Amino acid sequence: MNYVARIDAASASLALVTIPTPGDSARRYARASKSDGTLRAYGSALRSFEAWCSAHDLQAVPADVTTVVDFLSAEADAGRKVSSIAQKAAAIRWAHKTAGLLSPTDAEAVQNVMRGIRREVGVAPVQKQPATAERILTMIAHVPDTMAGKRDRAMLLLGFAGAFRRSELAALNVDDLTYGEAGVDVLIRRSKTDQEGQGKTVAVPHGTHLLPVQALRTWLVAAGITTGPIFRSVSRSGKVGEDAITGHTVANVVKRYAKLAGLEVAGFSGHSLRAGFVTSAADRGADLNRIMDVSRHVDPRTVRTYIRRADRYKDHAGSGFL
């Protein structure tokens, strides 16, 4: 089959187009089958694969089974994480399937190599430090009373109170907020577990300690934001931008205040807000289903991991003699 491979620099995604080339609408809908984040990750993975193939005078698409086996093995030898190697294998598979080609990743030889990499390199996830309620209090104590500070305070508190993923927090718009007597309903239009955009509403109460809704309103009023993105860039002079921040900004804000609070910054990320809410709720004995109402986890086993972590010293088997 004839084909062409084109890297879309604007979205950092690889578009594989069969000949005859489909129309713009077909390409757009095909790309929409994957989230923007996934497409960016696949684009990066495929550029890495293409560069490796070029350096070894090999063909990237369609790729030979031996080529893929050698590439994945080289990635493991270079110290890449298993999750990164698996993502590159998934990107290679997606590229071939999208082009209407048989994927070399389906071959038993590739599957065996991936199993060997998982066994030898290991797949234990790196646990990020949860920004628990106590840690959030310490972190916001270092937030300055500036325009950027008002944004950061609202970002930290809303992100924690809604157990939001960093991408969800960055994508929020004013139209996603519905205020009520008890707090604010926040509509998540699309998320990692809702790729088709059915939407999910998260209830964020006013609270009595952290006061996330108050912080959110203070930021919006101070910034004069009535429509569009909630969280935006703020210049050093305090000028608020027009465009939404990215998930990287959320992660950087979390790390910045974790460092100011004297916490081990290497263990914190954008996910720490989400993990912190679940951990804090579990530590206070909240019901699993009620935690999942906020966190929107699909698999309760994931939430139980946080609960076990929070409870690991409670009623310890050795507490009576250690």
Side-chain angles (χ1 to χ4, degrees):
M1 177 182 291
N2 293 323
Y3 64 91
V4 293
R6 179 170 63 84
I7 295 288
D8 186 342
S11 62
S13 63
L14 183 75
L16 290 166
V17 183
T18 59
I19 294 178
T21 303
D24 290 341
S25 293
R27 286 198 298 273
R28 186 176 74 253
Y29 289 130
R31 291 180 186 179
S33 67
K34 299 291 184 184
S35 70
D36 289 343
T38 298
L39 288 175
R40 285 193 294 271
Y42 279 7
S44 176
L46 290 166
R47 283 193 293 274
S48 173
F49 178 53
E50 288 180 335
W52 184 89
C53 288
S54 177
H56 291 81
D57 197 24
L58 297 169
Q59 185 169 274
V61 180
D64 185 77
V65 171
T66 303
T67 297
V68 177
V69 165
D70 288 345
F71 169 69
L72 298 178
S73 299
E75 289 290 291
D77 290 341
R80 305 285 190 267
K81 294 180 180 178
V82 173
S83 59
S84 175
I85 299 172
Q87 185 175 71
K88 289 179 179 179
I92 293 169
R93 183 180 191 279
W94 177 79
H96 283 75
K97 294 292 186 180
T98 303
L101 303 168
L102 292 175
S103 174
T105 60
D106 292 336
E108 186 64 24
V110 176
Q111 298 296 318
N112 281 336
V113 165
M114 282 305 304
R115 282 192 285 267
I117 290 173
R118 290 189 178 95
R119 286 177 63 88
E120 188 168 313
V121 178
V123 296
V126 177
Q127 298 290 349
K128 291 298 182 180
Q129 287 291 323
T132 59
E134 293 76 16
R135 287 172 172 171
I136 287 288
L137 273 172
T138 305
M139 290 164 67
I140 62 174
H142 296 273
V143 176
D145 189 22
T146 61
M147 188 63 75
K150 289 180 173 63
R151 181 203 65 178
D152 294 348
R153 175 183 286 269
M155 189 188 301
L156 291 170
L157 292 177
L158 186 67
F160 172 80
F164 295 124
R165 299 177 176 88
R166 65 179 192 174
S167 59
E168 296 169 348
L169 199 58
L172 288 178
N173 281 286
V174 174
D175 290 344
D176 298 330
L177 306 176
T178 303
Y179 295 97
E181 291 185 6
V184 61
D185 287 341
V186 182
L187 174 62
I188 304 300
R189 298 184 182 274
R190 189 182 299 275
S191 69
K192 179 180 178 181
T193 55
D194 180 23
Q195 293 294 326
E196 297 185 4
Q198 295 182 4
K200 177 72 174 180
T201 298
V202 179
V204 177
H206 289 297
T208 56
H209 302 289
L210 296 177
L211 307 176
V213 180
Q214 177 179 304
L216 173 63
R217 278 181 153 161
T218 298
W219 153 245
L220 292 175
V221 171
I225 297 174
T226 56
T227 60
I230 291 175
F231 296 113
R232 312 177 183 196
S233 63
V234 179
S235 70
R236 292 185 177 181
S237 64
K239 183 179 179 180
V240 179
E242 296 292 330
D243 298 328
I245 61 169
T246 67
H248 292 295
T249 302
V250 177
N252 289 337
V253 168
V254 172
K255 287 177 176 291
R256 182 187 312 144
Y257 290 104
K259 182 178 182 179
L260 290 172
L263 302 172
E264 184 58 51
V265 67
F268 284 80
S269 71
H271 184 72
S272 293
L273 299 177
R274 180 172 170 81
F277 175 87
V278 177
T279 301
S280 297
D283 189 50
R284 287 158 174 77
D287 179 74
L288 173 64
N289 292 325
R290 299 301 289 168
I291 294 176
M292 292 178 67
D293 284 343
V294 179
S295 69
R296 293 153 288 121
H297 279 100
V298 175
D299 191 342
R301 289 175 297 182
T302 304
V303 181
R304 289 195 182 99
T305 300
Y306 292 99
I307 295 176
R308 285 194 295 270
R309 197 182 310 159
D311 289 347
R312 64 188 183 278
Y313 286 106
K314 292 181 179 179
D315 300 321
H316 192 283
S319 60
F321 56 85
L322 291 180

